[in-house]
Amino acid sequence: MSGTPELQRCIERYTQANPNSARQLENAARVLPGGNTRSVLFYEPFPLVMSGGNGCFLDDLDGHRYVDFLAEYTAALYGHSHPAITHALTTAMANGLNLSAHTELEARLATLIVERFSCIEQVRFTNSGTEANLLALAAAKAYSGRSRIIAFNGGYHGGVLSFHGPTTAMNVPHQVVLADYNDLHSVERVFQEHRGEVAAILVEPMLGASGCICAESGFLEGLRAMSQAHGALLIFDEVMTSRLGPGGLQEKLGIHPDLITLGKYLGGGMPCGVLGGRKDIMAQFDPRHGGLSHAGTFNNNVLTMAAGIAGLEQVYTREAALHLNARGDRLRGQLNEVLAKMPMQFTGQGSVMNLHPTALPIRSPWDIPPDRNNLRDLFFFHLLECGIYSARRGLFALSLPLTERELTRLVVATQAFAERYGGR
Ligand SMILES: Cc1ncc(COP(=O)(O)O)c(C=O)c1O
């Protein structure tokens, strides 16, 4: 692997410190391509293999304990063993799995979601955020009788709806036209080129996988106005961002999309996706009136429903959401202060942030330069040596069990990094 001599030394130390992870992945590679069944987890020279988790801590196969600052790419909001969640799961298990029928649980979780997210009148459950977005696009196309979708360069809506990075053969063949994030002119151009054909705009209110790039003031409001003017629906993909406020970013921004997709933490750590929105659009799925059939063996599985209910009812209350995101904003400010003299910065909002190897403003994915000095890679390995786990691409997400002690530990580790590499 190429890289600066410092990075090479870091990687050598990493390799020496993690023989069990390396061995496990080698063995796994016999039956899983590259030992992997989830692409995002891979990094060179080999990723860590975890043996378990507790609260906000993770243990790996070589006996290291890490503070978890990745939180399952935002899904592990509740940490790894929240008592309210584990109690809900054990109670649901004791009551029997796979009941081949409706239960009371799905309506309870749906009610909590409708009460929480002001733009949602009705919901459908799916097993992932990806599926929720596929369902959203199907609903929008059927409702409008139109075929095209506007999405954004850098947008990520799941493994088969990825406009982030090189074009992928994995994408589903929807007629997607890409515009540029934070550029309303580019959206208007697409509407003009495809007059009367656009069913919906699909947008993340903050670009997540592309590096926590925030929408500039007026951009999302502009999308709302434009979609209305052109008779298209507005779909907010809040799979990642719904944790950023008690009612998601849509509430924080005061914008009412027609449809919204959710997932990640909403199932209390179990597989989960949600499509919600206006009743007249959602009514297409009402089986009493025919219309769209939306199947899915596990759509209402009792574990997801029970853990999701416990999470929203008992743990991630409106107050908890405000508190966690205020902590995240404070932490990001502290980290950026520490990195102020380096070509590095954290972007993001509230409890989700991303490190970038530049101090210049970032308003689109094109503004993120390649990590020529390997600073972001160095930071990743430096943090592992300090007992802190994050994503190599620079994503950090806070979970509820993190205390001030762990947040301070990240700030101190960042100070040590700045002292060690700041003069390069
Ligand atoms: C904004 C956004 N949409 C959709 C998805 C896909 O969700 P899932 O991985 O549950 O399919 C993700 C996952 O990271 C996401 O960040």
Side-chain angles (χ1 to χ4, degrees), residues 16 33 42 59 74 88 102 116 118 158 163 199 201 222 256 259 267 307 310 338 391:
Q16 276 169 14
F42 179 75
D59 297 309
T74 77
H102 290 285
R116 185 69 75 97
S118 56
F163 312 110
I201 302 176
H256 258 233
L259 292 172
V338 171

Side-chain angles (χ1 to χ4, degrees), residues 194-247:
H194 300 282
R195 271 178 181 278
E197 295 175 15
V198 177
I201 302 176
L202 174 61
V203 66
E204 294 167 84
M206 170 181 83
L207 282 181
S210 268
C212 298
I213 300 173
C214 295
E216 289 178 341
S217 163
F219 175 63
L220 297 166
E221 292 83 349
L223 293 185
R224 176 66 287 184
M226 250 181 221
S227 59
Q228 271 161 346
H230 291 280
L233 299 181
L234 180 63
I235 308 169
F236 270 12
D237 177 348
E238 290 231 43
V239 169
M240 188 184 275
T241 58
S242 74
R243 56 151 49 213
L244 299 181

Side-chain angles (χ1 to χ4, degrees), residues 136-151:
L137 297 189
K141 285 165 74 171
Y143 183 82
S144 63
R146 298 174 173 187
S147 57
R148 287 192 201 274
I149 305 296
I150 298 180

